[in-house]
Amino acid sequence: MGAELASAYGAARALFDEVDAALGQKLSEVMFNGPLEVLTLTENAQPALMAVSLAVMRVLEQEKGFRLPDKVKYVAGHSLGEYSALAAAGALKVSDAARLLRLRGQAMQAAVPVGQGAMAALLGVGKEAGEKLAAEAAQGEVCQLANDNEPTQAVISGAKSAVERAAQLAKAHGVRRFIPLNVSAPFHCALMQPAADIMAQALAQVTVKAPCVPLVANVLAAPIDDPQKIVQALILQVTGTVRWRESISFLANAGVTAFYEVGSGKVLTGLIKRIAETAAAASIGKPEDVARFKAARA
């Protein structure tokens, strides 16, 4: 993860070194060489994903002459990706973002004892059906819509027993496939309130600046650039729904015709194509992607 970027570009290597120094750990060595079970620990996975995203941005900026405020109208990020987006837009220092995500991962993991929470993807239905299913399955326990990803994909999160009840009720709500997710905690639901409290305290100790372009926040599906509103959105995001479908719809309606997923993977690119069907969407995560992006803009 990120090894090809570090090998090809000095700017990427420097970014990984910066994250390592901020965390007091050679996270990059785990990213490049594993073991996978260590990398996928939430406290490592969150800063690692951010590091790859920002490494790509550093390469585009320092070695390819791309300036985000000149070329980009908005930034957005899915869940932890909001920290990457804010760092890319200059609202957060890279070192602060890395430490916040390390803490966020630890706090989320500690908020609910292992085995007491669960998440599941609902295929074939969207927000409305997901909310109704979660409400019926709750029966006094926590069960919420965690992600509104695209018109035919939602994610629910909550107490394990409630999510298991949702599995039995799913077909009656039009769910085509009910997929339990292999996650370490029930993210983006009220069970994460202890983690939200910890993040509120941590964010109060960090300087957040106005980003060079607005952030379309997960919990609002609307743009913000005021530092205080950004902090509040990051706190609310821990327990709130990731309104990705609405966020992309907002951007498309605001005139955005090209979307770039910067970092590891192509999942968001696929979601975007199913939301803003007439817009262009591409991912930039490896050296060949950087070269393709540069050639397209030459």
Side-chain angles (χ1 to χ4, degrees):
M1 183 181 183
E4 293 175 86
L5 285 168
S7 177
Y9 301 109
R13 177 70 259 183
L15 187 285
F16 292 130
D17 289 344
E18 189 175 344
V19 171
D20 286 351
L23 297 177
Q25 171 202 4
K26 280 287 187 179
L27 179 62
S28 61
E29 292 301 316
V30 179
M31 293 169 62
F32 301 161
N33 303 308
L36 184 61
E37 60 269 22
V38 175
L39 177 59
T40 53
L41 291 172
T42 304
E43 65 183 68
N44 290 332
Q46 293 200 26
L49 287 165
M50 181 215 68
V52 176
S53 294
L54 294 181
V56 174
M57 283 304 307
R58 284 281 181 88
V59 171
L60 295 177
E61 291 170 341
Q62 296 185 9
E63 301 195 19
K64 303 301 178 182
F66 179 86
R67 293 194 76 255
L68 188 145
D70 295 340
K71 302 295 185 181
V72 171
K73 185 81 171 182
Y74 301 95
V75 293
H78 190 286
S79 191
L80 72 93
E82 281 201 329
Y83 288 80
S84 307
L86 288 166
L92 282 173
K93 293 180 181 178
V94 171
S95 56
D96 286 337
R99 286 189 288 264
L100 285 167
L101 283 175
R102 163 61 54 82
L103 179 63
R104 184 177 183 268
Q106 292 171 337
M108 286 179 151
Q109 184 64 67
V112 179
V114 174
Q116 292 189 16
M119 298 180 74
L122 315 176
L123 303 188
V125 299
K127 176 185 177 182
E128 186 175 335
E131 288 177 333
K132 289 180 178 178
L133 172 59
E136 184 177 344
Q139 296 183 21
E141 295 185 297
V142 172
C143 192
Q144 294 174 223
L145 182 73
N147 298 359
D148 174 15
N149 282 336
E150 52 105 329
T152 61
Q153 185 191 123
V155 176
I156 60 171
S157 179
K160 182 179 180 182
S161 52
V163 174
E164 289 173 344
R165 283 193 294 271
Q168 303 304 314
L169 300 166
K171 188 174 181 180
H173 286 263
V175 176
R176 179 167 51 84
R177 288 186 64 196
F178 185 95
I179 305 175
L181 299 181
N182 183 20
V183 293
S184 58
F187 306 129
H188 298 292
C189 76
L191 295 175
M192 288 289 107
Q193 188 58 51
D197 295 339
I198 289 172
M199 294 310 297
Q201 294 174 7
L203 284 160
Q205 305 302 313
V206 171
T207 298
V208 179
K209 299 179 180 179
C212 63
V213 296
L215 168 81
V216 178
N218 284 179
V219 294
L220 302 173
I224 52 175
D225 57 13
D226 176 80
Q228 289 186 332
K229 292 182 179 179
I230 289 170
V231 169
Q232 286 304 308
L234 290 174
I235 296 167
L236 291 172
Q237 183 224 70
V238 178
T239 57
T241 301
V242 176
R243 297 167 62 184
W244 190 250
R245 175 188 58 82
E246 292 177 89
S247 296
I248 300 304
S249 294
F250 164 82
L251 290 167
N253 291 333
V256 174
T257 58
F259 295 82
Y260 291 94
E261 178 181 3
V262 179
S264 181
K266 302 179 180 181
V267 172
L268 299 183
T269 302
L271 297 180
I272 290 165
K273 289 178 178 178
R274 291 191 286 276
I275 300 166
E277 296 180 354
T278 61
S283 59
I284 312 173
K286 296 184 177 181
E288 56 265 33
D289 301 326
V290 173
R292 193 179 304 115
F293 176 79
K294 178 64 177 176
R297 303 189 68 86

